[in-house]
Amino acid sequence: MPPPMRPPGGAATGFFICAYDLDRQVTSDGATWLDRQLLSRDRGALATGGFGTEVRQALEQRADELVSQGHASRTPQGQLRIKADLIGTLTRQEVERVGRQLAAERGLAFQPIREGQRVGGKLVGSAQLASGRFGMIDDGLGFSLVPWRPVLEKEIGRQVVGVMRGGDISWRLGRALGTGVSI
């Protein structure tokens, strides 16, 4: 089940955040904190007891999950080999799954955003996925889920325009789209 999208007015900030504990991260189809730790070269900072032990176990379980999902493999020596662009692949996979689920629930068309593509419409809310926070842009024909930036907080309920570049959106914000601030 996708996380709920919360329109402005229901809460002061206009969004819903759900926590992803270690167990949910282990089996997630999105890019998790555990994935970023597996890709990190410096994992030695984890404590050897308490929560550090739980994290180390979760990292091993996540590695096994990535292998079973086809995003990684093990060498004959047992070393983990992770496919290139793991974070981008998992993020796109999760966004598309959640987008399709939200579309089915709301009777709207989901429109994935691709590199170099322009997206515009009303920012109606956001959702916290395992891959991060994403804004929901309604263009009147359907909606898109786009990477969140803190500057968007003040734009909920307003028209926004952006272009997807390098897995992020370059936003053009402001009252009149022609006089907005580019970030």
Side-chain angles (χ1 to χ4, degrees), residues 62-139:
R62 180 61 175 172
D64 292 340
E65 181 68 20
L66 291 173
V67 169
S68 73
Q69 290 180 11
H71 298 294
S73 61
R74 295 227 184 245
T75 66
Q77 298 78 25
Q79 296 293 326
L80 185 66
R81 291 191 124 164
I82 298 174
K83 288 186 176 181
D85 194 26
L86 174 71
I87 301 301
T89 299
L90 291 175
T91 299
R92 282 186 300 278
Q93 178 177 291
E94 182 183 33
V95 166
E96 289 182 15
R97 176 187 54 80
V98 169
R100 286 189 309 270
Q101 287 177 332
L102 288 169
E105 287 175 7
R106 294 157 199 252
L108 299 171
F110 171 61
Q111 303 162 352
I113 302 299
R114 303 287 179 230
E115 185 67 22
Q117 186 176 349
R118 179 185 177 277
V119 62
K122 185 175 182 179
L123 177 63
V124 295
S126 72
Q128 184 68 40
L129 309 182
S131 299
R133 189 172 172 190
F134 288 81
M136 183 178 191
I137 309 291
D138 183 340
D139 68 2

Side-chain angles (χ1 to χ4, degrees), residues 103-181:
E105 287 175 7
R106 294 157 199 252
L108 299 171
F110 171 61
Q111 303 162 352
I113 302 299
R114 303 287 179 230
E115 185 67 22
Q117 186 176 349
R118 179 185 177 277
V119 62
K122 185 175 182 179
L123 177 63
V124 295
S126 72
Q128 184 68 40
L129 309 182
S131 299
R133 189 172 172 190
F134 288 81
M136 183 178 191
I137 309 291
D138 183 340
D139 68 2
L141 300 174
F143 72 95
S144 299
L145 295 174
V146 298
W148 187 262
R149 299 269 304 269
V151 70
L152 293 176
E153 198 69 53
K154 296 178 185 176
E155 303 302 321
I156 294 175
R158 295 184 180 169
Q159 296 290 318
V160 295
V161 174
V163 176
M164 179 66 95
R165 291 194 179 111
D168 200 0
I169 300 277
S170 174
W171 291 107
R172 185 139 178 97
L173 306 172
R175 284 202 167 110
L177 293 178
T179 61
V181 177

